[in-house]
Amino acid sequence: DGALLARALAVFGLIQFRMGRGGENAVLARAVALEESLGLEPAMWSPKVILCDQLFWSNELDAARALAEEVRDAVHRRADPYEADVLWWLALIEWRSGSWVRAAELIDAALGLDAQTGRQGLSPIVEWPRALIAAHRGFVGEARELARDALVRAQAAGIVTAQSALHWVLGFLELSLDRPNAALPH
């Protein structure tokens, strides 16, 4: 099954990358090529999306942005609610690129699309970029409130990834305010 093989190769590449074993570029290239040759539509954790994730965390932001825009166009054409997830990635890419106003617009669009399609509340991790971007823009009160509110929900739901990300924002805020002792618990 070509579709299954493409996803399996992509997830293998993702696992290798997340385990610190470097990017499985040949494996991911094969997965993306298979995805394209079969005419598979990009979807959550499809080869192109996994490659975008790897490019983002490798600081290859121009390539990540181009790929995320390509995926966004594809999901937008089919009116797929997954577009909100792609907007989430684009917001992070723009945040990391230093385009914080654009990043804020994208995360607002992502959360708005989630609300419009009934997907709001999927996970506090969805709200992490909003707090992160507000912190980097110097909106301390807003960032703190967003992070704390989402952190309460993350703790209640036991979503450790979200807890970690939101503590990161709170710690970053404290360091930015020259309060390292207050940052330490985060």
Side-chain angles (χ1 to χ4, degrees):
D1 180 336
L4 182 60
L5 178 59
R7 287 188 189 260
L9 289 169
V11 170
F12 174 77
L14 173 70
I15 292 168
Q16 294 298 306
F17 182 74
R18 293 278 171 93
M19 291 177 67
R21 296 184 179 157
E24 288 291 331
N25 296 334
V27 171
L28 266 173
R30 181 177 170 208
V32 169
L34 192 53
E35 179 181 41
E36 288 176 344
S37 72
L38 294 170
L40 301 175
E41 292 285 341
M44 186 172 232
W45 299 114
S46 67
K48 284 184 180 178
V49 173
I50 288 174
L51 178 56
C52 183
D53 174 83
Q54 182 174 313
L55 291 168
F56 170 78
W57 290 112
S58 298
N59 207 36
E60 296 180 45
L61 301 177
D62 291 337
R65 182 184 296 107
L67 191 54
E69 289 287 359
E70 177 187 330
V71 171
R72 180 187 180 193
D73 289 345
V75 296
H76 182 76
R77 280 192 306 272
R78 66 179 193 249
D80 188 331
Y82 177 62
E83 183 179 355
D85 297 347
V86 181
L87 288 168
W88 186 88
W89 270 113
L90 282 166
L92 284 176
I93 291 166
E94 294 305 333
W95 158 73
R96 197 153 190 202
S97 297
S99 301
W100 297 338
V101 171
R102 178 72 180 134
E105 293 168 354
L106 288 163
I107 197 59
D108 287 346
L111 294 170
L113 187 57
D114 270 346
Q116 184 180 18
T117 58
R119 290 175 16 130
Q120 74 267 31
L122 288 180
S123 170
I125 196 69
V126 173
E127 296 174 42
W128 161 61
R130 183 177 264 172
L132 181 66
I133 293 161
H136 280 77
R137 293 181 71 195
F139 303 145
V140 175
E142 178 185 349
R144 185 176 281 125
E145 182 180 342
L146 289 167
R148 285 180 177 163
D149 288 351
L151 181 59
V152 167
R153 290 191 313 283
Q155 289 169 332
I159 304 169
V160 178
T161 303
Q163 292 174 48
S164 175
L166 294 160
H167 275 295
W168 170 25
V169 172
L170 293 168
F172 171 77
L173 282 171
E174 296 301 338
L175 284 175
S176 298
L177 296 169
D178 198 28
R179 298 194 299 223
N181 289 336
L184 191 57
H186 297 291

